[in-house]
Amino acid sequence: MARGKGVDGPHPVDRYVGRRVCEKRISLGYNQSDLGRALGLTFQQIQKYEKGVNRISASKLFDISRFFKVDVGYFFDGLAEGAAGVAEEGAGFEHDFPATRQTIEITRLAPRLSAKRQRLALDLIREMLDTPDTDDAD
C-alpha cells in the first residue's frame, strides 16, 4: 500500500492539506514548477502532494509555509471543525472539485458582496449548471 493511501485512496487530512497548498500556491501566482524549484522537488512531486497521494512531511510542510510566508497552521485551517469526526470517512471536507484560479477568486470575492448579491451570484451559477434550487434558510 502506498504511503498516504488508505483502502479508498488518500487520507482525507492529506487531501485537505494538499488542497490548501494548491490553493495558496495559485492565489500567490506560483505554478507547481516554481514551488518545486523552491523546495528542491519536481513539479510531479508537488502534484502528488496537492492531490494527497503523497503525504507532506513535517519538514517539507515547514519549508512550504516559509516559502508562502504563512504559519504551518494555515494548512490545517478549517480542519478543526471536523476534528471530532476525522476518523470518519469524509470528515466533512469538500475537496472533490478542482482548485482553479477562478474558484479561488470566486471564494475570495464572494464575501465582499452583499447578501442579496451573493444570492444572485449563487442563482446564476446554479442556472449555468442547471442545478435545482436547494435554497437554505440563510
Side-chain angles (χ1 to χ4, degrees):
M1 182 178 333
R3 280 183 38 199
K5 282 200 157 196
V7 174
D8 296 323
H11 191 280
V13 174
D14 295 327
R15 291 178 64 196
Y16 185 85
V17 169
R19 177 161 183 90
R20 294 285 290 171
V21 168
C22 178
E23 290 171 352
K24 189 63 173 175
R25 175 184 58 75
I26 290 172
S27 73
L28 292 174
Y30 293 111
N31 61 39
Q32 291 173 331
S33 295
D34 295 332
L35 180 56
R37 274 191 298 277
L39 301 174
L41 301 169
T42 63
F43 79 90
Q44 292 96 334
Q45 182 61 45
I46 300 301
Q47 282 178 329
K48 290 177 183 180
Y49 283 164
E50 290 182 355
K51 290 180 182 179
V53 173
N54 286 3
R55 289 181 178 156
I56 304 173
S57 70
S59 59
K60 277 299 176 211
L61 194 58
F62 180 76
D63 291 343
I64 293 168
S65 71
R66 287 191 327 181
F67 180 73
F68 289 155
K69 297 183 174 126
V70 296
D71 186 69
V72 173
Y74 168 85
F75 301 106
F76 299 94
D77 284 351
L79 187 60
E81 291 83 30
V86 164
E88 299 169 16
E89 189 61 33
F93 325 119
E94 178 56 56
H95 47 61
D96 288 337
F97 58 91
T100 64
R101 293 186 194 289
Q102 293 81 13
T103 59
I104 291 168
E105 188 168 2
I106 289 168
T107 303
R108 193 180 81 242
L109 294 175
R112 295 170 47 191
L113 295 171
S114 68
K116 180 179 179 181
R117 288 185 179 212
Q118 286 179 24
R119 281 189 295 277
L120 288 171
L122 180 60
D123 289 344
L124 176 63
I125 291 170
R126 284 180 176 150
E127 186 175 317
M128 288 189 299
L129 291 171
D130 200 24
T131 303
D133 188 19
T134 55
D135 206 38
D136 299 338
D138 51 1

